[in-house]
Structures are given as structure tokens and as C-alpha cells.
Amino acid sequence: EDVGISCGLQTSLMGMTRDHVRLFKKYKVRVGVSIDGPKELNILRGPRNEGQNQKYQEELIKNLKILKDEGIHWGNICILSKANASKEKLPILLNWIKENRIEARFNAMFVPTMLTTVSIANTAVSIDHFFTPEPLFAFVFFFSFITFPLSDL
């Protein structure tokens, strides 16, 4: 009996080359991209230095375009935080997802402790961006009712 096996990876797309693209296509790799919205909302990804982060965002957008131009379908894991999913920013995030026809999985950033900072990728991050239990529950409730039928995308 044949067994269906697929290969996937989760990436920030940093350092992606044409060789990577060729291999993605050859082996039908399912590409997952870690991006938390358009560049103005994707501030917790990449370097915390503003100049370096700008270069990071530019490379990310350039590589997303390459994937699209090469016909490589990609999905997204989006970390919800106050930086991209506050009351004011959530409509921007949802519009970006819909306009770009992005398949996204949402994970809320939540720390249920009394910490003041946590380490993400060896970088100290203030928990000011994290959700406390009440807003986290509101997001879970909200996203349990939200769907984007493929026909709408």
C-alpha cells in the first residue's frame, strides 16, 4: 500500500536563495512563513534594532514575492500580540490577510506569570506586548467565529 508523505518547513525566509526555491518546487515542500502582518505590524519578528528590522522586513517581502512569482503556495503562522492585534490594529491585520489571500494560523502571545520580560530568540522582550487572560479569552472567542471561506479569498 502506498503511503502519502509530505514535507514542510516553517521559516522566516531570511537567507532564502534560488536553490531553496528550486528544492521547494522539486520536492513539493509545503512552506510555512512566520509573519505577523504587514511590515508596520510585524515588529516583534526579526532584529529589534530599527535599521536592521527595516532590512529584515524588506528581505521578507522580497522573498514572499519570489515564492508567489514561482507559484509556491505558502501558509502563515501569525502570533497575535498587542503589537499587531490591538483593537485599533486587528482590522489592519485581517484586511492584510484577506487582501493577500493568506492562509493563516493564529497563535496568541500569552504569559500567565508575573514576569516583566521573556526571551524570544535570545532577545529580551517586554511582556507589554503579551495578552493578559481577559483579552486572550476575548480573542479566542472572537476567532472561534471568524472564517474566511476560500470563495471569499
Side-chain angles (χ1 to χ4, degrees):
E1 176 179 333
D2 289 336
V3 177
I5 297 175
S6 66
C7 180
L9 61 87
Q10 188 67 28
T11 177
S12 67
L13 294 179
M14 295 301 103
M16 186 181 83
T17 67
R18 290 290 177 178
D19 285 335
H20 291 110
V21 172
R22 182 180 54 78
L23 291 171
F24 295 162
K25 291 175 88 167
K26 179 178 181 179
Y27 294 106
K28 298 180 175 94
V29 176
R30 294 177 176 199
V31 179
V33 179
S34 300
I35 182 171
D36 298 338
K39 68 181 182 180
E40 66 272 13
L41 300 184
N42 193 41
I43 62 171
L44 296 181
R45 300 269 185 196
R48 298 297 180 262
N49 171 285
E50 190 173 328
Q52 290 176 339
N53 191 276
Q54 181 64 31
K55 290 177 186 173
Y56 171 90
Q57 301 295 340
E58 289 169 4
E59 183 173 350
L60 175 61
I61 298 303
K62 176 191 77 149
N63 288 337
L64 286 173
K65 183 177 179 344
I66 290 170
L67 291 180
K68 181 179 180 183
D69 291 348
E70 291 291 331
I72 297 172
H73 178 76
W74 58 276
N76 177 37
I77 293 180
C78 179
I79 304 298
L80 296 173
S81 70
K82 292 178 183 176
N84 69 343
S86 65
K87 185 177 181 179
E88 301 79 27
K89 296 175 182 174
L90 187 59
I92 297 166
L93 175 64
L94 295 176
N95 283 335
W96 177 78
I97 288 167
K98 190 169 183 178
E99 286 173 7
N100 291 285
R101 303 173 55 100
I102 296 170
E103 287 183 26
R105 184 176 92 199
F106 298 97
N107 295 328
M109 188 180 276
F110 172 66
V111 176
T113 67
M114 299 307 288
L115 298 174
T116 57
T117 61
V118 295
S119 179
I120 298 176
N122 296 322
T123 302
V125 177
S126 167
I127 65 165
D128 292 343
H129 293 296
F130 291 61
F131 290 114
T132 56
E134 294 80 14
L136 178 66
F137 174 77
F139 273 109
V140 170
F141 184 76
F142 174 75
F143 278 98
S144 68
F145 288 99
I146 214 169
T147 59
F148 292 118
L150 291 178
S151 61
D152 288 351
L153 294 178

